Each structure stands twice: as C-alpha cells, then as structure tokens.
Amino acid sequence: EVQLVESGGGLVQPGGSLRLSCAVSGFTFNNFAMSWVRQAPEKGLEWVTSITTRGDGTYYAASVKGRFTIFRDNSKDTLFLQMNNVRVEDTAIYYCASHSSGFPFWGQGTLVAVSS
Amino acid sequence: QSALTQPRSVSGSPGQSVTISCTGTSSDVGGYDYVSWYQQYPGKAPKLIIYDVTKRPSGVSDRFSGSKSGNTASLIISGLQADDEAHYYCCSYARSYTYVFGTGTEVSVL
C-alpha cells in the first residue's frame, strides 16, 4: 500500500522557520520526482516546489523562492521542506505528492499556521 | 504565474453530463499536453483522475474524460452520480519545471 505521511507542521511566528517531512512507503521512492503542494484555508491548490529523483534539480514557485528549500534523503525514503522567513500568507495545509505524469500519490497533509 | 481559470461551480442532475473548463495561456495549457485533473472531497487529499490531458489512472471511472483545445482544457463527467459532488482542480505544466493549478470548481448534483 502506498503511503505518504507528512509531519512537522504547527504554529510558527512570522519570520520563523519550520521543517516539514514526508515519509514514503509502498513505492520506489528514488524512482519518482516529488513535490509539495499547499492549500490555504478554504482556498485552492498551489504548487510550491518539486525535486528530481536524485535531488540534483529543484524548482520553486515565485511565492516561496529564496525562502523555502526542498530536499530528499533517498536512503530514508523521506522528502523534506525547509521553510524559512515564513509569512502569514504561507498558512496552509502542505501536501507532499509523488510526481510523474501528474501527481498520482498524495499524503494526508500537515497544517502550517503562521501567526504572531 | 497566475492560476488557471475555472468556473466557480457547476451542477447537474443525476445521469447528466457536466463539463468543467480550465483556461490558461500558451505558456501553460496551450503549450504542453501535460494537463491533469484532481478530485477533492472536503478535508481529504486530492486524487488524480486525469493526466496528460486525456489519460485515466487505473481504477478511475471511465465516466471521467479529458480534452484540450488551444489554451482551454476540459473535464467531462458523464452519468453524474451523487458521489461526484466534490471540488475539481486542473493543473498544467508551465515551463521551466513549474506547475500551475486551476482556481477550482465545485460540482453539485441536484
């Protein structure tokens, strides 16, 4: 059974940092590019960032470029999102998703709330 | 990158067909055959139902189909059923390994 389990969300103050994790099982992690997609409360989906299978290519939405960093540990089947200098508008559920033709597998999401 | 434009809501009676449009530009929808569609129930993660414009993942009902013309992609739900009530999002590749989602459409079954 494919499982993606996010963790690390919580309440953080503006300007603070947070690291999200996504533990993967049930498929060959290092065969898939991976992504983070977020959804602000009562809003639509927003692609945030993607990483290649070996981690040698990373791509970001303009809204997070320079503040967020995606990386992966293929030896531990885990994806990460380092969030620095967070803003109130980063408040959202953050989903990790595998990435091939579309985003076929998704986690349940982890909530990040940015507030003072 | 601006979100792709979808109607806020569409509705239909059981058994009818509904079509959800997804309008972008030549830099995303119109430029690549990499449009995907997702179904999302409240409080749940999205589910992939169409990829590469027209393809269905294994296990997805053939009542869902996709197409594209120019800068507009479409999702057609035929034989509408009660459990089709959900939000639907399109997504397109948008050059330089970036992606853009649509604004989302709520489907109601009357």
Side-chain angles (χ1 to χ4, degrees):
Chain A
E1 180 191 6
V2 170
Q3 282 197 315
L4 295 82
V5 180
E6 301 95 337
S7 60
L11 178 64
V12 58
Q13 292 187 336
S17 297
L18 208 60
R19 178 177 291 185
L20 307 183
S21 301
C22 172
V24 167
S25 61
F27 66 92
T28 306
F29 180 65
N30 58 14
N31 281 354
F32 283 81
M34 297 294 295
S35 297
W36 290 94
V37 176
R38 69 184 180 184
Q39 187 168 32
E42 305 303 317
K43 299 293 185 183
L45 300 171
E46 180 188 10
W47 173 80
V48 175
T49 177
S50 294
I51 187 168
T52 55
T53 54
R54 293 186 299 179
D56 53 356
T58 55
Y59 312 95
Y60 299 92
S63 56
V64 306
K65 198 169 187 178
R67 301 186 299 119
F68 290 11
T69 301
I70 186 173
F71 60 103
R72 63 193 294 164
D73 185 340
N74 285 348
S75 69
K76 296 182 178 178
D77 291 352
T78 304
L79 176 73
F80 300 94
L81 181 66
Q82 178 66 41
M83 307 170 62
N84 295 333
N85 190 22
V86 297
R87 304 168 179 167
V88 170
E89 55 265 34
D90 294 324
T91 294
I93 295 173
Y94 284 74
Y95 296 100
C96 66
S98 65
H99 186 179
S100 56
S101 292
F103 303 98
F105 303 132
W106 295 67
Q108 83 290 348
T110 187
L111 176 63
V112 172
V114 183
S115 175
S116 54
Chain B
Q1 185 73 43
S2 298
L4 308 175
T5 301
Q6 297 180 231
R8 181 176 293 271
S9 63
V10 300
S11 60
S13 299
Q16 287 187 328
S17 294
V18 296
T19 299
I20 302 170
S21 60
C22 169
T23 301
T25 69
S26 58
S27 296
D28 38 64
V29 174
Y32 310 94
D33 288 334
Y34 295 133
V35 176
S36 51
W37 289 89
Y38 302 84
Q39 178 189 60
Q40 186 180 34
Y41 294 110
K44 299 296 186 182
K47 174 189 175 183
L48 176 67
I49 57 174
I50 295 288
Y51 66 97
D52 294 352
V53 181
T54 63
K55 300 175 183 176
R56 269 189 315 275
S58 174
V60 172
S61 171
D62 60 3
R63 297 186 300 103
F64 295 96
S65 60
S67 65
K68 192 185 84 166
S69 178
N71 296 338
T72 299
S74 297
L75 173 71
I76 303 97
I77 309 174
S78 58
L80 202 61
Q81 299 178 358
D83 64 358
D84 295 332
E85 280 206 343
H87 278 85
Y88 292 82
Y89 295 90
C90 61
C91 180
S92 175
Y93 178 75
R95 72 182 173 190
S96 303
Y97 302 99
T98 65
Y99 293 80
V100 59
F101 279 90
T103 50
T105 298
E106 182 178 20
V107 170
S108 300
V109 180
L110 304 173

